[in-house]
Amino acid sequence: MKSSVLHIVVAAGSGSRFGADLPKQFCDMNGIPVLMHTVESLRQSQTGEVVVVLSSDMVELWKDLCEKHNYDSPEIIIGGKTRWQSVKNAIAAKGDDAEIISVHDGARPLISAVLVRKLVECVAGGDRAVIPAVAVTDSLRKVNSDGSNEAVDRRLFYSVQTPQVFDGNLLRMAYSEPESALFTDDASVVENVGATVRVYPGEPTNIKITHPMDIAIAELIQKGLRS
Ligand code: C5P
C-alpha cells in the first residue's frame, strides 16, 4: 500500500447493553478475546498501523490478556465518554499525518482482511469516504410519534458496518467540528462537513457483538468461515 494508513479500533465502550461483568470486547470468543480477533483481522490486511482505543480502567485488563495470550498489543490510546470522543482522542494522538484513516468497532471481530483491503483501496483510488453496508433482510416498519405505524420500502435501507475509511485530511477536519448527538458513526461526522459517502458492499458475517448471544453466533460463523 503506497499511502500511509492508520486503523483506529474503538474499544472504550462499557457495553451496557451486553449486560455481562466484562465489556464484550474482552470476552472469550473461540478461546481468544474478541478484541484480539478484531486487531488480527486488520493486521492481516497488511494495509497499515493498527491502534486500539481503551477506557483507562480497562488498560490493565487488556495488558493482562495480552500477556496471557502472548499477544503483541497495538499502541493503546485512552478513549473518552462517547465514541466520537474516543475517535477524536485517537486522531489527536496518532492521526496527524496519516493519508488514510479507518475507524473500526472493536466489537466487530469477523471483518475480513479482504474487505479491509478493498475499502482502503477505494480511498487510495480517490474516494474520500467509504463505508461497508448490507441490505436489510427483515421487513421494516416506521413507528410514528402518535403511535401509528406503516410499512416502508426496505429496498431503500442498508445496515451500516465498519471499518469506515476516510481521506485523512477530511476526517481530521470533520473531527475539528463540535460533537452532535446525531453522530452514530464516522460517516455521519464527515457528512456534517459536506462530504459524500460511498456505500460499498459489506459482509453479512461482519456482525457487531452487542448481546451475549452474539458471541455464540460469532463463534459459529468463525468456525464456518475457517472450514
Ligand atoms: O455502543 P456501540 O456498540 O455502538 O459502540 C461501538 C464501538 O465504539 C464499540 O467498539 C465501543 O467499544 C466503542 N466506544 C468507544 N468509546 C466510547 C463508546 C463506545 O470506543 N465512549
Side-chain angles (χ1 to χ4, degrees):
M1 191 67 48
K2 268 192 268 156
S3 312
S4 61
V5 181
L6 176 70
H7 295 288
I8 298 171
V9 178
V10 280
S14 60
S16 47
R17 281 172 296 176
F18 193 64
D21 292 344
L22 210 56
K24 56 200 178 181
Q25 55 273 30
F26 305 108
C27 289
D28 186 278
M29 176 182 147
N30 285 329
I32 296 169
V34 166
L35 186 56
M36 279 179 201
H37 289 288
T38 309
V39 169
E40 225 18 59
S41 303
L42 290 166
R43 282 181 167 168
Q44 276 169 18
S45 75
Q46 298 187 331
T47 44
E49 184 180 357
V50 181
V51 296
V52 287
V53 186
L54 302 176
S55 70
S56 53
D57 50 347
M58 288 294 149
V59 171
E60 279 318 303
L61 169 73
W62 170 247
K63 286 185 175 168
D64 287 350
L65 287 170
C66 287
E67 204 175 309
K68 181 177 161 202
H69 292 274
N70 197 17
Y71 191 72
D72 179 22
S73 174
E75 185 171 332
I76 297 168
I77 290 152
I78 303 302
K81 279 204 170 65
T82 62
R83 187 186 188 281
W84 182 90
Q85 189 64 57
S86 291
V87 175
K88 191 172 169 80
N89 288 4
I91 293 172
K94 286 293 289 186
D96 264 4
D97 48 15
E99 290 165 87
I100 296 174
I101 303 177
S102 91
V103 185
H104 185 56
D105 291 332
R108 287 189 191 268
L110 295 174
I111 179 68
S112 78
V114 172
L115 180 56
V116 175
R117 284 199 75 85
K118 283 184 178 157
L119 295 165
V120 168
E121 278 162 13
C122 286
V123 178
D127 287 321
R128 297 184 75 215
V130 59
I131 63 171
V134 289
V136 293
T137 51
D138 288 326
S139 292
L140 289 185
R141 193 154 274 271
K142 180 169 175 280
V143 179
N144 303 308
S145 50
D146 66 0
S148 62
N149 64 84
E150 58 199 287
V152 294
D153 183 354
R154 72 174 170 204
R155 290 172 299 182
L156 297 174
F157 293 91
Y158 282 72
S159 190
V160 170
Q161 306 180 337
T162 69
Q164 301 189 348
V165 187
F166 305 94
D167 170 84
N169 286 331
L170 171 64
L171 196 68
R172 281 184 283 273
M173 194 256 282
Y175 269 91
S176 68
E177 295 292 317
E179 184 174 10
S180 152
L182 297 178
F183 297 152
T184 55
D185 64 356
D186 305 283
S188 48
V189 178
V190 299
E191 233 163 22
N192 180 51
V193 293
T196 300
V197 174
R198 174 174 174 189
V199 173
Y200 192 90
E203 293 171 334
T205 49
N206 181 22
I207 62 169
K208 182 166 75 170
I209 310 285
T210 306
H211 305 290
M213 179 185 78
D214 297 331
I215 296 255
I217 295 170
E219 287 181 326
L220 287 174
I221 294 173
Q222 190 176 52
K223 283 177 185 157
L225 290 172
R226 282 175 181 162
S227 63

